[in-house]
Amino acid sequence: MPIRLIAAYFLMITGSAFAIVTVLGLLRFPDVYTRIHAGAVVLTISAVLVTMGTAIYVWDFFLSAKIILIGIFFLFSNPMATHAIARASYKREIALPKEYEIDAYSDYLGRDV
């Protein structure tokens, strides 16, 4: 088996393992904000690893370039989307933890606590 295929399989399997960790984080974390953190960080790493592995597996220049561009787009769009979701849920007071006494963002976002 060529070293290229071994590297591709390794990247795809590692990305799949990170995706499983993302699912476990979404199921196990207690509130919306920690679940969003699991979805943003770990899923982004997972998607980039899988797209890199797929680009190496395909080994065609134009198709690999398209796959890498998809991975780069996901690398930038997923953190921005999860930030927008977290900010919207904070502004609408969705699932705010009651045990936090200090709210550092209330002055910044113009919300009274």
Side-chain angles (χ1 to χ4, degrees):
M1 185 180 305
I3 192 82
R4 170 181 66 88
L5 291 179
I6 293 172
Y9 290 146
F10 176 75
L11 288 171
M12 288 189 275
I13 290 171
T14 306
S16 300
F18 275 108
I20 291 171
V21 170
T22 300
V23 170
L24 292 175
L26 290 175
L27 293 174
R28 295 289 298 169
F29 284 149
D31 62 348
V32 174
Y33 305 107
T34 54
R35 289 178 183 171
I36 287 174
H37 176 71
V41 176
V42 186
L43 190 61
T44 303
I45 294 169
S46 170
V48 169
L49 287 174
V50 169
T51 55
M52 285 173 45
T54 307
I56 292 172
Y57 181 79
V58 170
W59 205 251
D60 179 45
F61 178 74
F62 292 111
L63 189 56
S64 294
K66 289 177 187 177
I67 293 170
I68 289 172
L69 284 175
I70 290 170
I72 290 172
F73 174 74
F74 197 81
L75 183 66
F76 289 112
S77 65
N78 189 27
M80 287 189 288
T82 53
H83 174 76
I85 292 169
R87 186 169 176 158
S89 63
Y90 179 81
K91 278 189 165 186
R92 293 195 178 248
E93 298 180 11
I94 296 172
L96 282 178
K98 301 293 183 207
E99 66 267 6
Y100 296 143
E101 294 189 18
I102 299 173
D103 190 1
Y105 294 112
S106 63
D107 293 333
Y108 176 71
L109 292 176
R111 188 174 59 130
D112 294 328
V113 179

